[in-house]
């Protein structure tokens, strides 16, 4: 039996929407500005989830300054095109509907800048299902900081009733830093190994499995 929760924090990229096309196109655009041609899109899936500055440094050896420039170029493409190269996972809206019907609360907690996150949730007509959309400032931050912000913004003090749902290790780490349980979902961009090493409280395969909680 899975424990039952009252409040569900949802990651956005790789959890609510499959944003691979828009994010990888934006990364390719940014890398080209540095003379780097990346043709294997799957290599760039690791950019989905973590803060962008961290990914440019980690995967391409950029300095902090280069990473900030990389984010600026990324957003040139993402702002007009990449943000809409995106789709909601099949069955996810139905899950949100059932969470609402059960009298539970759903909140978005994403590493994406908040203004982009709100645009995406609105674009896909999902705004009605969420009590709040909490995201990063434009100059970045950590997943743990976003989760803290989401909790504070919604006056949530009883953390035992809150479950973070995400597809990468950053969701697990950020949740645990805030004293929350975390469900790692495998339909996104993370792996079972990644979740096990990060210490996810639960790991599930499908969108519908969220309703067990």
């Amino acid at each position: 039996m899975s424990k039952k929760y009252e409040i569900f924090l949802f990651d956005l990229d790789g959890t609510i929407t499959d944003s691979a096309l828009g994010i990888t196109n934006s990364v390719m655009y940014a890398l080209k500005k540095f003379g780097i041609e990346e043709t294997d899109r799957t290599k760039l899936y690791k950019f989905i989830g973590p803060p962008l500055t961290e990914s440019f440094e980690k995967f391409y050896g950029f300095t902090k300054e280069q990473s900030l420039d990389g984010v600026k170029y990324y957003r040139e493409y993402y702002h007009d095109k990449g943000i809409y190269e995106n789709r909601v996972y099949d069955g996810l809206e139905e899950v949100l509907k059932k969470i609402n019907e059960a009298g539970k609360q759903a909140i978005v907690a994403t590493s994406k800048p908040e203004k982009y996150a709100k645009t995406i949730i609105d674009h896909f007509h999902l705004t009605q299902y969420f009590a709040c959309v909490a995201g990063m400032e434009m100059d970045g931050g950590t997943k743990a900081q976003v989760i803290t912000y989401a909790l504070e913004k919604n006056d949530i003090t009883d953390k035992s009733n809150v479950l973070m749902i995400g597809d990468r290790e950053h969701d697990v780490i950020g949740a645990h830093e805030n004293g929350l349980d975390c469900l790692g979902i495998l339909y996104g961009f993370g792996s079972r190994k990644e979740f096990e090493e990060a210490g996810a409280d639960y790991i599930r395969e499908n969108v519908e499995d969220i309703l067990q909680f």
Side-chain angles (χ1 to χ4, degrees):
M1 285 289 290
S2 305
K3 182 183 166 184
K4 301 293 188 271
Y5 296 84
E6 297 295 320
I7 299 167
F8 299 85
L9 301 187
F10 282 82
D11 173 47
L12 178 53
D13 294 323
T15 303
I16 297 172
T17 65
D18 178 352
S19 51
L21 184 62
I23 289 176
T24 53
N25 279 345
S26 301
V27 175
M28 284 176 176
Y29 175 90
L31 290 174
K32 263 187 191 171
K33 298 283 190 179
F34 294 92
I36 301 167
E37 287 277 350
E38 187 54 80
T39 53
D40 183 357
R41 188 179 299 279
T42 59
K43 273 191 190 173
L44 303 178
Y45 284 173
K46 55 199 173 190
F47 274 81
I48 302 168
L52 284 169
T53 48
E54 183 184 308
S55 294
F56 280 120
E57 287 176 37
K58 184 175 177 183
F59 304 127
Y60 285 89
F62 282 16
T63 63
K64 286 216 180 311
E65 197 174 278
Q66 286 174 321
S67 294
L68 290 171
D69 285 340
V71 172
K72 185 181 76 179
Y73 296 136
Y74 172 99
R75 287 177 180 161
E76 283 178 6
Y77 182 94
Y78 188 81
H79 185 270
D80 295 321
K81 294 181 185 173
I83 195 169
Y84 300 113
E85 294 172 334
N86 203 351
R87 71 173 189 89
V88 179
Y89 283 107
D90 294 341
L92 199 281
E93 185 171 2
E94 193 57 34
V95 165
L96 291 171
K97 219 178 264 183
K98 287 180 177 173
I99 286 172
N100 281 199
E101 285 168 359
K104 314 297 185 185
Q105 194 176 51
I107 292 166
V108 177
T110 174
S111 293
K112 190 180 288 300
E114 191 168 291
K115 75 170 193 173
Y116 291 155
K118 284 180 173 174
T119 298
I120 291 164
I121 294 298
D122 201 41
H123 175 70
F124 289 114
H125 309 293
L126 298 177
T127 306
Q128 61 186 311
Y129 301 115
F130 293 103
C132 168
V133 176
M136 293 269 200
E137 299 284 351
M138 290 298 280
D139 58 357
T142 66
K143 191 61 183 251
Q145 287 170 332
V146 169
I147 293 171
T148 302
Y149 164 58
L151 295 172
E152 289 174 352
K153 195 173 181 184
N154 292 276
D155 298 318
I156 298 165
T157 52
D158 183 359
K159 297 179 179 181
S160 66
N161 281 327
V162 185
L163 181 66
M164 178 71 210
I165 302 164
D167 72 312
R168 300 300 307 274
E169 63 181 352
H170 299 78
D171 299 303
V172 182
I173 294 162
H176 288 173
E177 282 183 26
N178 279 279
L180 306 183
D181 290 342
C182 186
L183 163 63
I185 46 87
L186 294 172
Y187 60 79
F189 298 97
S191 66
R192 185 174 291 277
K193 181 173 182 284
E194 180 177 341
F195 287 133
E196 285 172 351
E197 288 177 355
D201 301 279
Y202 314 98
I203 303 172
R204 295 290 187 274
E205 298 274 349
N206 304 312
V207 170
E208 295 75 17
D209 293 337
I210 294 168
L211 293 173
Q212 295 173 15
F213 300 91

